[in-house]
Amino acid sequence: MKECKTEPLFSGGESTSWKWVIAPLIIYFIERIVRFYRSIQTVTITKVIVHPSQVIELQMKKPGFAMLPGQYIFIKCPKLSNLQWHPFTLTSSPDEDFFSVHIRTVGDWTQALAKACGANSEDEIYMMPSKLPKIAVDGPFGTASIDIFKYQVGMCVAAGIGVTPFASILKSIWYRLLNNSEDLKLKKVYFFWICPDTNAFEWFSELLERFESDMIEKGHAGFLNYNIYLTRGWNSKQAKNIYLLENENTDAITGLRQKTHYGRPKWTSIFPEIANENQGIDTGVFYCGPSGLSEILHRNCELHSTISREAGCRFFYNKENF
């Protein structure tokens, strides 16, 4: 075999990699510019409220701010850090003239923010708005929960702090129902809240109590079916009070008309009940909480859905895990 003594020739082509990089980079920089512009807009804290269980509520106003139920924002407090942005779910309704977040002060940043806002007592208003720290807000950003308004029946499931986005959603439903809004398709809402301890009930139970009273007053007593499950966190004294107050009209823990359940929900029984009550209707299932429960709910949605809507109820699953 003869040895080839000719050196191989390589032909270089035109550089084209920049064509695949330039478009994403342009989109990225546009997005960063928009977010920077939104972050420097003036935000005014109008009120700071302390709720039980180390929770503070910030009510704010920002020119041109528009939100949808269940969305979230990023908050930065330059007094604490120019680099840290923290996500918080909006708990207000688009129908209110402010937007709000509930913040549990369990970390260094949240505790420092509460201190900067003067949240060291249980008074409703601590400082004049001009003396409150300046903050920057980016957002809002959307989640799957806003799709609840596409259904006639909604099933909302919250685990622990995952109840936060449903505060905004329930408020929005409340305002639309009271105002006889024509674009409200919802006819029935099932709400399930699985909570690890009694302290977590306190701020949200106030909202449920107002919702419940107004629904009864306006003749919509059956619109909201809510169930609260306490999985742990009661002591022997509380257990005794629960037993003694079992026959009272209000719950011993929450003060609501609906009694608290103890333990975990039996989803294999709950889904068939909802399906039987809503024959021929599509039901949107919306979950916010840990991923473990998400798999159980998704499996039950598939198990208890019929192929056609006419033959029964179909469940459509939406989730937001953390």
PDB file of all heavy atoms in Angstrom, residues 198-222:
ATOM      1  N   THR A 198     -52.179  24.637  64.802  1.00  0.00           N
ATOM      2  CA  THR A 198     -53.292  25.552  65.030  1.00  0.00           C
ATOM      3  C   THR A 198     -52.923  27.009  64.764  1.00  0.00           C
ATOM      4  O   THR A 198     -53.780  27.810  64.389  1.00  0.00           O
ATOM      5  CB  THR A 198     -53.786  25.428  66.483  1.00  0.00           C
ATOM      6  OG1 THR A 198     -52.689  25.642  67.370  1.00  0.00           O
ATOM      7  CG2 THR A 198     -54.363  24.048  66.738  1.00  0.00           C
ATOM      8  N   ASN A 199     -51.664  27.388  64.945  1.00  0.00           N
ATOM      9  CA  ASN A 199     -51.270  28.788  64.753  1.00  0.00           C
ATOM     10  C   ASN A 199     -51.464  29.255  63.317  1.00  0.00           C
ATOM     11  O   ASN A 199     -51.685  30.435  63.064  1.00  0.00           O
ATOM     12  CB  ASN A 199     -49.799  28.977  65.146  1.00  0.00           C
ATOM     13  CG  ASN A 199     -49.571  28.790  66.627  1.00  0.00           C
ATOM     14  OD1 ASN A 199     -50.466  29.026  67.421  1.00  0.00           O
ATOM     15  ND2 ASN A 199     -48.389  28.343  67.002  1.00  0.00           N
ATOM     16  N   ALA A 200     -51.357  28.337  62.376  1.00  0.00           N
ATOM     17  CA  ALA A 200     -51.449  28.716  60.964  1.00  0.00           C
ATOM     18  C   ALA A 200     -52.867  29.113  60.571  1.00  0.00           C
ATOM     19  O   ALA A 200     -53.082  29.702  59.517  1.00  0.00           O
ATOM     20  CB  ALA A 200     -50.981  27.555  60.086  1.00  0.00           C
ATOM     21  N   PHE A 201     -53.852  28.799  61.400  1.00  0.00           N
ATOM     22  CA  PHE A 201     -55.236  29.119  61.057  1.00  0.00           C
ATOM     23  C   PHE A 201     -55.552  30.612  61.174  1.00  0.00           C
ATOM     24  O   PHE A 201     -56.442  31.116  60.515  1.00  0.00           O
ATOM     25  CB  PHE A 201     -56.201  28.385  62.004  1.00  0.00           C
ATOM     26  CG  PHE A 201     -56.304  26.916  61.762  1.00  0.00           C
ATOM     27  CD1 PHE A 201     -55.942  26.025  62.751  1.00  0.00           C
ATOM     28  CD2 PHE A 201     -56.771  26.425  60.569  1.00  0.00           C
ATOM     29  CE1 PHE A 201     -56.043  24.669  62.558  1.00  0.00           C
ATOM     30  CE2 PHE A 201     -56.867  25.067  60.363  1.00  0.00           C
ATOM     31  CZ  PHE A 201     -56.508  24.183  61.350  1.00  0.00           C
ATOM     32  N   GLU A 202     -54.839  31.313  62.035  1.00  0.00           N
ATOM     33  CA  GLU A 202     -55.364  32.551  62.591  1.00  0.00           C
ATOM     34  C   GLU A 202     -55.657  33.650  61.575  1.00  0.00           C
ATOM     35  O   GLU A 202     -56.761  34.193  61.558  1.00  0.00           O
ATOM     36  CB  GLU A 202     -54.409  33.033  63.681  1.00  0.00           C
ATOM     37  CG  GLU A 202     -54.371  32.068  64.851  1.00  0.00           C
ATOM     38  CD  GLU A 202     -53.249  32.339  65.824  1.00  0.00           C
ATOM     39  OE1 GLU A 202     -52.081  32.386  65.390  1.00  0.00           O
ATOM     40  OE2 GLU A 202     -53.542  32.493  67.011  1.00  0.00           O
ATOM     41  N   TRP A 203     -54.689  34.028  60.738  1.00  0.00           N
ATOM     42  CA  TRP A 203     -54.953  35.159  59.854  1.00  0.00           C
ATOM     43  C   TRP A 203     -55.911  34.797  58.729  1.00  0.00           C
ATOM     44  O   TRP A 203     -56.742  35.614  58.314  1.00  0.00           O
ATOM     45  CB  TRP A 203     -53.644  35.729  59.294  1.00  0.00           C
ATOM     46  CG  TRP A 203     -52.972  34.895  58.238  1.00  0.00           C
ATOM     47  CD1 TRP A 203     -52.023  33.943  58.428  1.00  0.00           C
ATOM     48  CD2 TRP A 203     -53.196  34.954  56.826  1.00  0.00           C
ATOM     49  NE1 TRP A 203     -51.643  33.396  57.228  1.00  0.00           N
ATOM     50  CE2 TRP A 203     -52.340  33.994  56.224  1.00  0.00           C
ATOM     51  CE3 TRP A 203     -54.023  35.711  56.010  1.00  0.00           C
ATOM     52  CZ2 TRP A 203     -52.296  33.775  54.854  1.00  0.00           C
ATOM     53  CZ3 TRP A 203     -53.990  35.504  54.626  1.00  0.00           C
ATOM     54  CH2 TRP A 203     -53.126  34.543  54.076  1.00  0.00           C
ATOM     55  N   PHE A 204     -55.829  33.565  58.229  1.00  0.00           N
ATOM     56  CA  PHE A 204     -56.678  33.191  57.095  1.00  0.00           C
ATOM     57  C   PHE A 204     -58.116  32.916  57.526  1.00  0.00           C
ATOM     58  O   PHE A 204     -59.051  33.103  56.742  1.00  0.00           O
ATOM     59  CB  PHE A 204     -56.105  31.960  56.395  1.00  0.00           C
ATOM     60  CG  PHE A 204     -56.706  31.699  55.044  1.00  0.00           C
ATOM     61  CD1 PHE A 204     -56.281  32.401  53.934  1.00  0.00           C
ATOM     62  CD2 PHE A 204     -57.713  30.770  54.880  1.00  0.00           C
ATOM     63  CE1 PHE A 204     -56.837  32.173  52.682  1.00  0.00           C
ATOM     64  CE2 PHE A 204     -58.275  30.528  53.640  1.00  0.00           C
ATOM     65  CZ  PHE A 204     -57.834  31.235  52.538  1.00  0.00           C
ATOM     66  N   SER A 205     -58.306  32.476  58.763  1.00  0.00           N
ATOM     67  CA  SER A 205     -59.662  32.193  59.236  1.00  0.00           C
ATOM     68  C   SER A 205     -60.510  33.458  59.285  1.00  0.00           C
ATOM     69  O   SER A 205     -61.742  33.400  59.142  1.00  0.00           O
ATOM     70  CB  SER A 205     -59.618  31.529  60.613  1.00  0.00           C
ATOM     71  OG  SER A 205     -59.017  32.385  61.564  1.00  0.00           O
ATOM     72  N   GLU A 206     -59.868  34.629  59.474  1.00  0.00           N
ATOM     73  CA  GLU A 206     -60.598  35.890  59.456  1.00  0.00           C
ATOM     74  C   GLU A 206     -61.236  36.125  58.086  1.00  0.00           C
ATOM     75  O   GLU A 206     -62.379  36.571  57.980  1.00  0.00           O
ATOM     76  CB  GLU A 206     -59.662  37.045  59.806  1.00  0.00           C
ATOM     77  CG  GLU A 206     -59.065  36.959  61.204  1.00  0.00           C
ATOM     78  CD  GLU A 206     -58.018  38.031  61.442  1.00  0.00           C
ATOM     79  OE1 GLU A 206     -57.859  38.910  60.551  1.00  0.00           O
ATOM     80  OE2 GLU A 206     -57.364  38.000  62.494  1.00  0.00           O
ATOM     81  N   LEU A 207     -60.484  35.829  57.032  1.00  0.00           N
ATOM     82  CA  LEU A 207     -61.002  35.977  55.675  1.00  0.00           C
ATOM     83  C   LEU A 207     -62.157  35.015  55.421  1.00  0.00           C
ATOM     84  O   LEU A 207     -63.198  35.403  54.867  1.00  0.00           O
ATOM     85  CB  LEU A 207     -59.886  35.730  54.659  1.00  0.00           C
ATOM     86  CG  LEU A 207     -60.302  35.644  53.188  1.00  0.00           C
ATOM     87  CD1 LEU A 207     -60.884  36.969  52.721  1.00  0.00           C
ATOM     88  CD2 LEU A 207     -59.126  35.238  52.318  1.00  0.00           C
ATOM     89  N   LEU A 208     -62.004  33.769  55.840  1.00  0.00           N
ATOM     90  CA  LEU A 208     -63.073  32.784  55.652  1.00  0.00           C
ATOM     91  C   LEU A 208     -64.336  33.178  56.414  1.00  0.00           C
ATOM     92  O   LEU A 208     -65.452  32.984  55.927  1.00  0.00           O
ATOM     93  CB  LEU A 208     -62.598  31.404  56.111  1.00  0.00           C
ATOM     94  CG  LEU A 208     -61.629  30.659  55.196  1.00  0.00           C
ATOM     95  CD1 LEU A 208     -61.207  29.335  55.836  1.00  0.00           C
ATOM     96  CD2 LEU A 208     -62.248  30.394  53.826  1.00  0.00           C
ATOM     97  N   GLU A 209     -64.160  33.740  57.604  1.00  0.00           N
ATOM     98  CA  GLU A 209     -65.318  34.152  58.407  1.00  0.00           C
ATOM     99  C   GLU A 209     -66.096  35.260  57.708  1.00  0.00           C
ATOM    100  O   GLU A 209     -67.331  35.232  57.649  1.00  0.00           O
ATOM    101  CB  GLU A 209     -64.852  34.610  59.788  1.00  0.00           C
ATOM    102  CG  GLU A 209     -65.987  34.943  60.730  1.00  0.00           C
ATOM    103  CD  GLU A 209     -65.496  35.330  62.116  1.00  0.00           C
ATOM    104  OE1 GLU A 209     -64.273  35.466  62.298  1.00  0.00           O
ATOM    105  OE2 GLU A 209     -66.344  35.492  63.012  1.00  0.00           O
ATOM    106  N   ARG A 210     -65.380  36.245  57.164  1.00  0.00           N
ATOM    107  CA  ARG A 210     -66.039  37.336  56.427  1.00  0.00           C
ATOM    108  C   ARG A 210     -66.726  36.800  55.179  1.00  0.00           C
ATOM    109  O   ARG A 210     -67.866  37.170  54.862  1.00  0.00           O
ATOM    110  CB  ARG A 210     -65.012  38.400  56.043  1.00  0.00           C
ATOM    111  CG  ARG A 210     -64.466  39.194  57.205  1.00  0.00           C
ATOM    112  CD  ARG A 210     -63.274  40.035  56.777  1.00  0.00           C
ATOM    113  NE  ARG A 210     -63.612  40.910  55.665  1.00  0.00           N
ATOM    114  CZ  ARG A 210     -62.696  41.491  54.874  1.00  0.00           C
ATOM    115  NH1 ARG A 210     -61.407  41.254  55.078  1.00  0.00           N
ATOM    116  NH2 ARG A 210     -63.078  42.266  53.886  1.00  0.00           N
ATOM    117  N   PHE A 211     -66.032  35.928  54.461  1.00  0.00           N
ATOM    118  CA  PHE A 211     -66.586  35.335  53.243  1.00  0.00           C
ATOM    119  C   PHE A 211     -67.861  34.569  53.572  1.00  0.00           C
ATOM    120  O   PHE A 211     -68.894  34.717  52.904  1.00  0.00           O
ATOM    121  CB  PHE A 211     -65.540  34.406  52.622  1.00  0.00           C
ATOM    122  CG  PHE A 211     -65.814  34.038  51.194  1.00  0.00           C
ATOM    123  CD1 PHE A 211     -65.055  34.564  50.167  1.00  0.00           C
ATOM    124  CD2 PHE A 211     -66.822  33.154  50.866  1.00  0.00           C
ATOM    125  CE1 PHE A 211     -65.294  34.220  48.857  1.00  0.00           C
ATOM    126  CE2 PHE A 211     -67.073  32.801  49.550  1.00  0.00           C
ATOM    127  CZ  PHE A 211     -66.307  33.340  48.541  1.00  0.00           C
ATOM    128  N   GLU A 212     -67.809  33.756  54.610  1.00  0.00           N
ATOM    129  CA  GLU A 212     -68.939  32.925  55.008  1.00  0.00           C
ATOM    130  C   GLU A 212     -70.143  33.775  55.394  1.00  0.00           C
ATOM    131  O   GLU A 212     -71.280  33.507  54.969  1.00  0.00           O
ATOM    132  CB  GLU A 212     -68.510  32.034  56.171  1.00  0.00           C
ATOM    133  CG  GLU A 212     -69.547  31.043  56.631  1.00  0.00           C
ATOM    134  CD  GLU A 212     -69.039  30.190  57.781  1.00  0.00           C
ATOM    135  OE1 GLU A 212     -68.476  30.766  58.740  1.00  0.00           O
ATOM    136  OE2 GLU A 212     -69.201  28.962  57.724  1.00  0.00           O
ATOM    137  N   SER A 213     -69.924  34.820  56.200  1.00  0.00           N
ATOM    138  CA  SER A 213     -71.022  35.681  56.656  1.00  0.00           C
ATOM    139  C   SER A 213     -71.683  36.414  55.500  1.00  0.00           C
ATOM    140  O   SER A 213     -72.918  36.488  55.423  1.00  0.00           O
ATOM    141  CB  SER A 213     -70.492  36.697  57.687  1.00  0.00           C
ATOM    142  OG  SER A 213     -69.963  36.048  58.814  1.00  0.00           O
ATOM    143  N   ASP A 214     -70.859  36.950  54.588  1.00  0.00           N
ATOM    144  CA  ASP A 214     -71.419  37.679  53.447  1.00  0.00           C
ATOM    145  C   ASP A 214     -72.181  36.762  52.505  1.00  0.00           C
ATOM    146  O   ASP A 214     -73.214  37.148  51.941  1.00  0.00           O
ATOM    147  CB  ASP A 214     -70.300  38.396  52.677  1.00  0.00           C
ATOM    148  CG  ASP A 214     -69.839  39.657  53.388  1.00  0.00           C
ATOM    149  OD1 ASP A 214     -70.503  40.055  54.358  1.00  0.00           O
ATOM    150  OD2 ASP A 214     -68.819  40.233  52.973  1.00  0.00           O
ATOM    151  N   MET A 215     -71.699  35.525  52.314  1.00  0.00           N
ATOM    152  CA  MET A 215     -72.382  34.589  51.436  1.00  0.00           C
ATOM    153  C   MET A 215     -73.768  34.226  51.993  1.00  0.00           C
ATOM    154  O   MET A 215     -74.744  34.142  51.252  1.00  0.00           O
ATOM    155  CB  MET A 215     -71.548  33.317  51.252  1.00  0.00           C
ATOM    156  CG  MET A 215     -70.248  33.499  50.501  1.00  0.00           C
ATOM    157  SD  MET A 215     -70.447  34.146  48.817  1.00  0.00           S
ATOM    158  CE  MET A 215     -70.038  35.887  49.088  1.00  0.00           C
ATOM    159  N   ILE A 216     -73.843  34.038  53.294  1.00  0.00           N
ATOM    160  CA  ILE A 216     -75.130  33.726  53.924  1.00  0.00           C
ATOM    161  C   ILE A 216     -76.070  34.919  53.824  1.00  0.00           C
ATOM    162  O   ILE A 216     -77.255  34.778  53.508  1.00  0.00           O
ATOM    163  CB  ILE A 216     -74.911  33.317  55.398  1.00  0.00           C
ATOM    164  CG1 ILE A 216     -74.141  31.993  55.473  1.00  0.00           C
ATOM    165  CG2 ILE A 216     -76.246  33.199  56.135  1.00  0.00           C
ATOM    166  CD1 ILE A 216     -73.749  31.591  56.885  1.00  0.00           C
ATOM    167  N   GLU A 217     -75.527  36.114  54.070  1.00  0.00           N
ATOM    168  CA  GLU A 217     -76.342  37.334  54.023  1.00  0.00           C
ATOM    169  C   GLU A 217     -76.904  37.587  52.627  1.00  0.00           C
ATOM    170  O   GLU A 217     -78.036  38.051  52.476  1.00  0.00           O
ATOM    171  CB  GLU A 217     -75.493  38.526  54.479  1.00  0.00           C
ATOM    172  CG  GLU A 217     -76.261  39.838  54.527  1.00  0.00           C
ATOM    173  CD  GLU A 217     -75.384  40.995  54.978  1.00  0.00           C
ATOM    174  OE1 GLU A 217     -74.345  40.739  55.625  1.00  0.00           O
ATOM    175  OE2 GLU A 217     -75.732  42.146  54.666  1.00  0.00           O
ATOM    176  N   LYS A 218     -76.119  37.277  51.592  1.00  0.00           N
ATOM    177  CA  LYS A 218     -76.542  37.526  50.215  1.00  0.00           C
ATOM    178  C   LYS A 218     -77.299  36.351  49.605  1.00  0.00           C
ATOM    179  O   LYS A 218     -77.642  36.378  48.424  1.00  0.00           O
ATOM    180  CB  LYS A 218     -75.318  37.834  49.355  1.00  0.00           C
ATOM    181  CG  LYS A 218     -74.566  39.083  49.772  1.00  0.00           C
ATOM    182  CD  LYS A 218     -75.398  40.345  49.578  1.00  0.00           C
ATOM    183  CE  LYS A 218     -74.600  41.577  49.960  1.00  0.00           C
ATOM    184  NZ  LYS A 218     -75.395  42.828  49.775  1.00  0.00           N
ATOM    185  N   GLY A 219     -77.558  35.306  50.394  1.00  0.00           N
ATOM    186  CA  GLY A 219     -78.312  34.175  49.885  1.00  0.00           C
ATOM    187  C   GLY A 219     -77.489  33.174  49.101  1.00  0.00           C
ATOM    188  O   GLY A 219     -78.029  32.413  48.304  1.00  0.00           O
ATOM    189  N   HIS A 220     -76.167  33.134  49.314  1.00  0.00           N
ATOM    190  CA  HIS A 220     -75.279  32.197  48.612  1.00  0.00           C
ATOM    191  C   HIS A 220     -74.603  31.255  49.607  1.00  0.00           C
ATOM    192  O   HIS A 220     -73.410  30.982  49.505  1.00  0.00           O
ATOM    193  CB  HIS A 220     -74.222  32.956  47.818  1.00  0.00           C
ATOM    194  CG  HIS A 220     -74.775  33.881  46.792  1.00  0.00           C
ATOM    195  ND1 HIS A 220     -75.408  33.440  45.650  1.00  0.00           N
ATOM    196  CD2 HIS A 220     -74.803  35.242  46.738  1.00  0.00           C
ATOM    197  CE1 HIS A 220     -75.793  34.481  44.923  1.00  0.00           C
ATOM    198  NE2 HIS A 220     -75.432  35.595  45.569  1.00  0.00           N
ATOM    199  N   ALA A 221     -75.374  30.759  50.564  1.00  0.00           N
ATOM    200  CA  ALA A 221     -74.793  29.947  51.638  1.00  0.00           C
ATOM    201  C   ALA A 221     -74.105  28.692  51.117  1.00  0.00           C
ATOM    202  O   ALA A 221     -73.133  28.219  51.709  1.00  0.00           O
ATOM    203  CB  ALA A 221     -75.881  29.574  52.644  1.00  0.00           C
ATOM    204  N   GLY A 222     -74.589  28.129  50.019  1.00  0.00           N
ATOM    205  CA  GLY A 222     -74.012  26.892  49.507  1.00  0.00           C
ATOM    206  C   GLY A 222     -72.912  27.084  48.487  1.00  0.00           C
ATOM    207  O   GLY A 222     -72.398  26.104  47.933  1.00  0.00           O
TER     208      GLY A 222
END
